[in-house]
Amino acid sequence: MKALILNSGLGTRMGVLTSEHPKCMTELTHGETIISRQLKQIKDAGITDVIITTGYNESILRNYIAGLDTELNIKYVNNPDYRTTNYIYSIYSAREYLHDDILFMHGDLVFENEVIDAVLEAENSVMAVSSARELPEKDFKAVIDSAGKIHKVGVNFFDDAVSAQPLYKLRRVDWEKWLNEIIKYCETGNKTCYAENALNDLDGSCEIYACDVRNLLCSEIDTPEDLAVVSSRLREIESRTVYLAFGTDILHSGHINLIRKARRLGRLIIGVLTDEAVSSYRRYPLVSYEDRRAMFENISGVYKVVEQRTISHRENLELYKPDIVVHGDDWRTGFQKPNRDEVVSILASYGGRLVEYPYAKNDRYSELEARTRKDLSMPDIRRGRLRKELGIKGFLTAMEAHDGLTGLIVEDTVIYHDGMPKQFDAMWVSSLCDSTAKGKPDIELVDMTSRFRTIEDITEVTTKPIIFDGDTGGRPEHFVYTVRTLERLGVSMVIIEDKTGLKKNSLFGTEVKQTQESISGFSDKIRAGKKAQKTKEFMICARIESLILERGLDDALERAFAFVDAGADAIMMHSRSKKPDEIFAFLERFRSKDTVTPIVLVPTTYNSVTEEEFKSRGANIIIYANHLMRASVPAMQKTAKNILEHHRSRECDEMLMPFGEIIRLIPAEA
Ligand code: SPV
Ligand code: MG
């Protein structure tokens, strides 16, 4: 594509302003002239070849442009009869250079970047028009049909017309038709009319459509009054602020393009989502907030980088009141729609506007995301995430997973509420469910080698942090090996319980014989584990069975403080009461002395309490310890019975998920 700028004319209506140079050299703001601005916009649009028709004060113009150092290939074409002809003849003079797609503009036209972007992005040949402006008495108007196609352009058309500006993007097929007509006009002596007279003779067979730029700046400067109006609009445009939020940790060409477009609209403020905000709606960010912030700060043309603490833009829109918010158009539907609606309504409250660009879909971007997810599943990255996320959010939820498929369900299940996604933060590899899945009792019968295999099945297909139920941890001499193996597997935390002898599941309470380990014996085990661990991030959590074994709160508290002293990174307080009172009492008394050690709860029985309440009382991790297993067993029994009853499977089909859907849960390449 080439740009064609018409600069042959005298510009007499500008008075003294054009006495010494062509009109296009008129200064707009801060040393910028009409022509320097146009050439910069052309270059920014990626066009390198420019044809400028000249006449009046040609050498002054050429010297001036040479001094601008535009890096454009500029071809000057002189219209020798510029005093007596119109620009139709200038185009005719340049005809041999114009066999291409053409961006065509008058030399006195000033437009904002959004205008040239809209014109160039249009699929068809287009002319800039404005349906928002009053019809000008003396300037161009375009007659358009209901499909937006332009039939006539001129000063004297009023019916079905809109205000039109001499800025066209012309595809070669259309332009050649118009150019041929211009050539015919000039060669039959018709040199003093507008080039549009030739276009009008084609009566729509040259297919040019209206590109409606509404209230955006796109004006010719004919008089000093025009200049004053346009200059003041430009100052306003230059001081505009544009807001664009990013939660990404990989910057690809789609993001760079969006930034490039956004910064052309004004001073670009980038809102970088905090780690907490990112992990609330997407995966955990691989690159930390500080590093992501630095990444954006180092992109040229970014005016300011600020923190965005939630997925909602509200806080920052109210703080910075940007004139424009830029976003990909992907949020018009789906879970982000409520966020978009909120942005639209906040912008409307102070007169800002939303600019959306087509969302860049690209297989390469999906591959990058898949690769990042794979990185997240690597043990070294995964292991530290629980500690980090606890630091970021302070409160996490974990759901049990006992094989690869339940791991995928914990990994991928997400719900949306008011534009906010909610998902589980971590996975609990329960001894109860791991044993149950194998049809075995929960008595440390399933050995560690088998338990590790379950972990591997899960880690192979997921990325979320894993909390491992280590039962009693076994003998201290064995536990140290378990710790190191778990670290190698990428597990984030092991929870061991202060029981000894033949362990039985806690939910049996005192119905079965269970023996609690001594404080000193269990403290030694914790110390041995902490000493054995190779990485800083791995966590050992001490689980206290005092309430299960009805030993009372004082015993529970004494143990909790002793185990923290022995090096436990967290405390799990277990209870099988239907009421949360003893857990609440524990939280209150523990937190009055220790405000930092994370507390883990497993509210299987006292299940009426919400996560919000646990959080407000000082808990940090809530584990849903056996729910996927409990959901699947009755469904399987019901199906088995149904088939037995009906002697065939048709009746139970509607209770079942088609395998086509199940397969969709499973990534093509894990
Ligand atoms: C498990 O899920 O294996 C547990 C929690 O240890 S509980 O079953 O409540 O004891
Ligand atoms: Mg267990």
Side-chain angles (χ1 to χ4, degrees):
M1 174 174 287
K2 291 178 179 171
L4 167 64
I5 314 178
L6 305 179
N7 274 319
S8 307
L10 290 163
T12 42
R13 282 161 67 200
M14 293 292 279
V16 286
L17 287 172
T18 48
S19 59
E20 286 172 10
H21 57 64
K23 184 160 68 168
C24 65
M25 284 172 63
T26 305
E27 187 170 327
L28 297 165
T29 51
H30 320 301
E32 184 175 62
T33 60
I34 307 177
I35 183 74
S36 72
R37 184 181 164 83
Q38 285 180 339
L39 291 175
K40 181 170 184 314
Q41 288 174 310
I42 287 167
K43 180 164 179 273
D44 288 349
I47 300 172
T48 50
D49 292 308
V50 183
I51 294 113
I52 300 181
T53 71
T54 59
Y56 177 62
N57 278 336
E58 174 178 354
S59 59
I60 292 174
L61 177 62
R62 290 180 67 149
N63 283 338
Y64 169 71
I65 293 177
L68 291 177
D69 217 6
T70 61
E71 295 172 24
L72 293 163
N73 301 323
I74 301 181
K75 174 78 199 157
Y76 296 94
V77 178
N78 182 270
N79 172 357
D81 301 329
Y82 68 89
R83 283 184 189 276
T84 55
T85 61
N86 205 336
Y87 61 82
I88 189 169
Y89 194 62
S90 302
I91 298 173
Y92 175 76
S93 308
R95 64 195 178 283
E96 65 178 291
Y97 307 107
L98 298 177
H99 298 293
D100 207 326
D101 293 335
I102 296 288
L103 175 71
F104 165 26
M105 65 189 75
H106 284 198
D108 59 0
L109 191 70
V110 180
F111 44 85
E112 61 185 286
N113 289 333
E114 252 180 283
V115 170
I116 183 168
D117 289 349
V119 164
L120 289 174
E121 269 162 24
E123 257 176 55
N124 300 311
S125 295
V126 290
M127 177 184 200
V129 307
S130 168
S131 64
R133 285 204 214 153
E134 272 182 32
L135 284 189
E137 197 60 35
K138 292 192 188 127
D139 289 327
F140 272 169
K141 291 163 280 287
V143 178
I144 55 178
D145 66 19
S146 57
K149 193 163 125 185
I150 293 179
H151 286 263
K152 304 274 181 215
V153 178
V155 176
N156 297 321
F157 301 109
F158 288 89
D159 293 340
D160 299 324
V162 284
S163 158
Q165 286 71 39
L167 172 67
Y168 298 88
K169 187 206 63 183
L170 300 158
R171 294 186 315 153
R172 187 169 174 175
V173 276
D174 302 312
W175 169 238
E176 293 278 4
K177 289 182 194 160
W178 186 3
L179 183 60
N180 282 338
E181 206 62 21
I182 288 172
I183 293 169
K184 266 195 236 157
Y185 261 60
C186 289
E187 291 183 351
T188 53
N190 238 338
K191 303 179 194 172
T192 56
C193 62
Y194 298 121
E196 281 75 6
N197 289 38
L199 176 68
N200 292 343
D201 281 2
L202 293 168
D203 198 19
S205 71
C206 169
E207 305 220 349
I208 301 177
Y209 287 81
C211 174
D212 193 354
V213 300
R214 299 191 57 78
N215 284 319
L216 297 174
L217 172 64
C218 185
S219 300
E220 278 181 287
I221 295 186
D222 287 321
T223 63
E225 292 73 38
D226 292 345
L227 178 64
V229 172
V230 167
S231 299
S232 110
R233 276 291 301 277
L234 277 178
R235 274 191 291 273
E236 199 183 293
I237 288 166
E238 274 161 19
S239 65
R240 259 189 213 151
T241 50
V242 180
Y243 187 79
L244 176 57
F246 276 108
T248 186
D249 48 10
I250 339 165
L251 213 51
H252 55 57
S253 55
H255 299 125
I256 296 289
N257 271 338
L258 197 60
I259 291 173
R260 202 176 52 77
K261 284 179 183 159
R263 74 178 176 217
R264 287 163 59 69
L265 307 179
R267 291 183 186 159
L268 177 59
I269 302 174
I270 288 191
V272 175
L273 270 68
T274 57
D275 291 340
E276 181 177 2
V278 175
S279 39
S280 76
Y281 81 102
R282 245 176 123 215
R283 58 171 173 72
Y284 179 78
L286 200 54
V287 180
S288 73
Y289 168 76
E290 287 72 25
D291 288 346
R292 288 183 289 117
R293 191 183 167 118
M295 175 165 92
F296 288 106
E297 276 166 347
N298 283 292
I299 294 176
S300 80
V302 173
Y303 174 64
K304 193 149 89 173
V305 176
V306 300
E307 177 186 76
Q308 182 171 321
R309 295 192 302 182
T310 57
I311 164 170
S312 153
H313 286 43
R314 175 178 290 283
E315 191 179 35
N316 282 359
L317 295 196
E318 286 174 352
L319 193 61
Y320 301 106
K321 296 232 164 14
D323 299 286
I324 297 174
V325 170
V326 167
H327 204 282
D329 61 4
D330 52 319
W331 68 344
R332 288 187 185 168
T333 54
F335 81 94
Q336 295 200 76
K337 189 175 177 305
N339 267 321
R340 180 186 187 271
D341 294 345
E342 183 182 70
V343 166
V344 169
S345 102
I346 299 170
L347 285 171
S349 72
Y350 65 80
R353 73 194 159 90
L354 176 64
V355 173
E356 291 171 320
Y357 293 108
Y359 180 71
K361 269 216 182 98
N362 189 321
D363 287 347
R364 266 193 319 115
Y365 302 160
S366 322
E367 259 171 48
L368 276 175
E369 178 57 27
R371 233 189 291 156
T372 311
R373 279 178 73 106
K374 256 186 221 161
D375 287 352
L376 280 172
S377 72
M378 296 313 281
D380 281 343
I381 294 173
R382 185 171 194 149
R383 189 191 308 115
R385 278 180 53 193
L386 190 77
R387 212 186 255 284
K388 277 204 192 118
E389 288 190 39
L390 264 176
I392 294 169
K393 291 192 189 174
F395 182 85
L396 308 175
T397 58
M399 169 56 92
E400 73 95 352
H402 51 268
D403 55 17
L405 183 62
T406 44
L408 280 172
I409 288 174
V410 183
E411 176 84 10
D412 294 330
T413 303
V414 53
I415 59 146
Y416 301 98
H417 190 249
D418 281 345
M420 285 299 296
K422 187 172 185 310
Q423 39 181 315
F424 295 105
D425 301 295
M427 319 190 172
W428 165 243
V429 180
S430 141
S431 66
L432 175 63
C433 298
D434 203 354
S435 308
T436 307
K438 292 170 175 60
K440 302 252 168 74
D442 181 19
I443 51 170
E444 293 186 281
L445 172 63
V446 177
D447 67 16
M448 275 299 164
T449 310
S450 167
R451 305 280 321 276
F452 295 156
R453 185 62 236 160
T454 304
I455 294 175
E456 275 182 320
D457 283 343
I458 295 170
T459 54
E460 263 178 53
V461 293
T462 62
T463 70
K464 287 186 176 170
I466 292 175
I467 303 172
F468 180 70
D469 178 355
D471 288 324
T472 64
R475 299 165 63 102
E477 294 83 347
H478 296 171
F479 181 53
V480 292
Y481 281 90
T482 304
V483 164
R484 287 199 284 251
T485 307
L486 292 173
E487 285 185 280
R488 274 198 308 278
L489 290 173
V491 169
S492 300
M493 182 198 268
V494 62
I495 300 186
I496 49 170
E497 59 197 89
D498 58 354
K499 283 201 298 228
T500 187
L502 180 63
K503 185 218 88 150
K504 302 260 176 69
N505 185 272
S506 304
L507 298 173
F508 290 115
T510 50
E511 290 156 31
V512 292
K513 186 174 167 352
Q514 308 212 48
T515 319
Q516 202 170 14
E517 169 75 290
S518 70
I519 293 184
S520 67
F522 198 65
S523 296
D524 284 347
K525 200 185 286 187
I526 294 166
R527 266 191 287 269
K530 285 310 288 177
K531 198 161 155 224
Q533 86 179 53
K534 291 279 176 213
T535 63
K536 281 206 291 285
E537 335 55 74
F538 186 73
M539 298 173 80
I540 297 178
C541 173
R543 160 173 168 176
I544 297 167
E545 294 287 297
S546 304
L547 301 179
I548 297 285
L549 302 173
E550 296 171 5
R551 298 265 164 82
L553 195 55
D554 287 341
D555 183 70
L557 282 158
E558 189 190 347
R559 283 169 177 268
F561 293 124
F563 299 155
V564 172
D565 279 348
D569 298 286
I571 295 293
M572 171 182 152
M573 182 50 62
H574 208 5
S575 159
R576 63 180 196 119
S577 166
K578 281 203 170 307
K579 292 201 188 129
D581 306 17
E582 58 185 19
I583 285 293
F584 287 172
F586 171 80
L587 283 168
E588 198 182 330
R589 288 181 59 188
F590 185 81
R591 282 283 173 250
S592 69
K593 292 220 175 102
D594 180 333
T595 52
V596 290
T597 305
I599 296 180
V600 183
L601 300 176
V602 181
T604 308
T605 48
Y606 51 101
N607 54 15
S608 61
V609 184
T610 61
E611 292 162 5
E612 290 73 16
E613 178 157 14
F614 283 130
K615 184 179 176 185
S616 73
R617 289 176 182 269
N620 303 89
I621 300 180
I622 298 300
I623 296 178
Y624 297 97
N626 47 39
H627 299 76
L628 296 188
M629 173 61 78
R630 281 163 62 200
S632 64
V633 172
M636 290 192 283
Q637 279 179 332
K638 202 168 154 196
T639 305
K641 282 185 190 163
N642 191 289
I643 291 174
L644 287 176
E645 270 163 25
H646 293 96
H647 303 224
R648 63 182 188 185
S649 69
R650 198 181 75 186
E651 285 71 16
C652 78
D653 234 27
E654 64 188 36
M655 314 189 294
L656 308 178
M657 184 182 248
F659 233 96
E661 275 178 46
I662 295 176
I663 282 169
R664 256 182 257 139
L665 296 171
I666 296 168
E669 192 220 5

